Structure formats: structure tokens, C-alpha cells
Amino acid sequence: MTSQKPGLQVLPTLTQDQERKVSDLLLAVSPELEANPPLKSWCTQSTLARFLQARDWNASQAEQKLRGTLEWRRTYRPDAITWADIEPEAVTGKQFRLPVKDKEGRAVLLMRPRNENTKGAERQLKYLVYNLEAACRAADEAGVGKMTWLIDFEGYSYRNAPPVTLALKTLNILQGHYPERLGLSVCYHPPRLFQITWKATKPFIDPVTHKKIVFIDHQDTTSMPQHFHMESIEQCMGGSLTSEQAFNLQSYKAEMEAEDARRLEAAGRM
């Protein structure tokens, strides 16, 4: 039950009881999976184990949570989102997957709120989901299965701060539909203004998720190198890269369009 394809998804060693619960959960949702090939492809043994782990291996709670995500994926279709759907959101580099992993081998999703360029919450969320899916694929290919969020608060202001409602929707998507995917969230030099959003969202953050959130001040020169390869990090966070070196739109566009083409071809959608 715990065998995985090399280089793809790594499961911790499960007990016999946990293996049984994974098998039982798969059996419970099999009708939905058989009726929807994209869901069947997505719902791997690792996926099932993550949902069980997120509910402390309570089978009924895990099934309820998984069914909610299956319905969300069936209707929202995150696997079908392509670069063409979200390109206007991507042009400023406000959010993108770094080309290198962190020091734990996790895929890194970098967020730079100062580069916010749109107002439409729905497409902003679609862009977030597109990047979450991309980070998950990279995490699985690396054999780690988890991602790191790096939020650079340089230039954060009332003009680019997301509404609290959008922050809560982001939290709901991450906790509700990507359980056990977050390995670490680094908030770099958050200003006092961020406390408004933090106070509004903190009560809704799962205790396990809360423990993964780290705040690093710009005067702290030792914490960032513990987590990241600083030659791949922007100068404003103590790294070596200029903003232009950190994100090149045309290169990133070509990378993501090629990735879209490969996964859609594999899914038989091209």
C-alpha cells in the first residue's frame, strides 16, 4: 500500500491500521473517482493519507473533508487552469514558483504583495490555485510532497494589501483543499499594517498550520539562510538577486506553458 513511483510522492511508513484506513477511504470514494478521470488521477495514496493525517486519522472526518474537496475539484477544475487563463495576474511577478527548492527540498511559492496589479478577487484566487497546483507538482516530483510559502512584505501598503475577505478565502482554500501540503510559511519583515489581516485570520488558522508560520525581521540575518539558498533569493530579503533577476516574465511564461502542455497531454485534453 505504501509503495510509490520513484521520484514522485513519498509517504511515511504507515502502520497496518493506517494502511487499512487509506484502503477504506479509497473504497468509500471510488464511485466518484471512477466517474471522473481527473479526480481519479489526482486521488493518489499520498492524497488519501494526507487527508487522513489532517484529521488525525479519524476516518469519518477525513472522508467528509475529502468529499468536500472532490466536489470542489469537480466544479472548480483546478487541474484545467492554464497560463492563458491567468496571464494578466502573472505579469508583475507578484506570485510565482521559485526555480529552486528550499533547504528541506520543498517547492517554494514566492508572494510579493507590492506587485499587486488587479482588483478582481475571483481571478486572483484562480491564479493562487494555479500556483498551488504547480507547487504541488514540483513538491511531488522532488519526493517531498510539501511546499514553502515565502511572503516578502517589502513595499506592503494600504494600496496593495489584500482585503481580509480575500485573505480568508485564501486560507480556506489552502486548509480545506490542500491539507498537509504546507511545510513552512515565512513572513519576511511584515509591517504593522499586516497586523490587521493577521488578527482577522489568526482565529481561523489550524493549530498545526499555525506552528508552520515563521516571522522574520529584516534585521535578522541568520534565519533566512537556515531555510533558503540565498543566492536564489532577492536582495531585499538578504539574498543575491535583483528583482529583475528573480523574475523574468518571458522565461516563467515559457516554463509554465510547457508544463501546462505536458500535463494536459498526459490527461488527454490536447
Side-chain angles (χ1 to χ4, degrees):
M1 175 62 70
T2 59
S3 62
Q4 297 289 305
K5 295 180 180 180
L8 289 180
Q9 300 180 20
V10 174
L11 270 176
T13 301
L14 302 181
T15 66
Q16 287 187 341
D17 183 59
Q18 288 171 340
E19 288 190 342
R20 178 183 58 78
K21 289 182 177 181
V22 169
S23 298
D24 289 347
L25 183 56
L26 175 60
L27 183 63
V29 298
S30 287
E32 290 89 338
L33 302 183
E34 293 300 328
N36 191 306
L39 290 183
K40 184 177 181 180
S41 177
W42 169 80
C43 197
T44 63
Q45 293 177 11
S46 294
T47 301
L48 296 167
R50 277 193 292 270
F51 275 81
L52 282 159
Q53 186 176 355
R55 287 295 178 262
D56 198 25
W57 294 90
N58 183 301
S60 61
Q61 291 181 12
E63 181 180 343
Q64 181 180 13
K65 184 177 181 65
L66 177 58
R67 287 188 181 279
T69 294
L70 290 176
E71 178 59 19
W72 176 75
R73 294 190 71 91
R74 186 186 68 80
T75 56
Y76 197 84
R77 301 182 67 204
D79 54 295
I81 302 173
T82 66
W83 179 268
D85 298 321
I86 50 79
E87 185 169 5
E89 300 291 332
V91 295
T92 62
K94 64 185 178 185
Q95 185 184 121
F96 61 97
R97 187 185 65 192
L98 289 185
V100 297
K101 310 297 189 295
D102 71 5
K103 287 191 173 180
E104 296 296 326
R106 295 177 292 235
V108 180
L109 186 57
L110 175 62
M111 301 178 181
R112 305 187 292 184
R114 65 181 177 273
N115 290 346
E116 183 57 72
N117 63 321
T118 64
K119 297 294 184 181
E122 289 308 312
R123 195 172 63 189
Q124 289 175 351
L125 286 173
K126 181 173 284 191
Y127 185 47
L128 169 71
V129 171
Y130 178 79
N131 282 318
L132 287 175
E133 293 283 306
C136 287
R137 289 193 300 272
D140 289 342
E141 289 169 2
V144 177
K146 292 183 181 290
M147 71 181 81
T148 289
W149 283 19
L150 174 56
I151 309 174
D152 174 16
F153 283 94
E154 175 76 18
Y156 190 81
S157 67
Y158 283 106
R159 181 185 62 82
N160 53 48
V164 171
T165 53
L166 182 59
L168 288 172
K169 287 181 179 179
T170 297
L171 181 63
N172 287 338
I173 288 174
L174 177 65
Q175 292 188 159
H177 304 308
Y178 296 88
E180 297 300 319
R181 280 298 196 177
L182 184 68
L184 178 70
S185 178
V186 174
C187 299
Y188 185 81
H189 194 43
R192 288 187 177 182
L193 175 60
F194 177 67
Q195 292 181 6
I196 299 174
T197 301
W198 177 246
K199 288 180 180 179
T201 56
K202 185 178 178 180
F204 301 97
I205 299 176
D206 180 271
V208 175
T209 301
H210 189 274
K211 292 179 181 179
K212 300 174 182 178
I213 301 174
V214 176
F215 294 88
I216 299 178
D217 186 79
H218 71 288
Q219 294 179 336
D220 178 355
T221 59
T222 61
S223 294
M224 285 290 287
Q226 294 176 11
H227 302 297
F228 303 101
H229 302 282
M230 298 307 290
E231 65 273 14
S232 302
I233 298 297
E234 278 189 75
Q235 293 172 352
C236 61
M237 291 184 285
S240 304
L241 301 181
T242 64
S243 179
E244 292 75 18
Q245 290 172 327
F247 178 77
N248 179 282
L249 175 60
Q250 294 308 313
S251 296
Y252 192 64
K253 175 181 179 179
E255 176 187 356
M256 300 313 294
E257 286 184 329
E259 195 169 304
D260 289 346
R262 289 193 298 271
R263 64 186 175 85
L264 292 178
E265 182 178 12
R269 295 178 180 172
M270 294 186 68

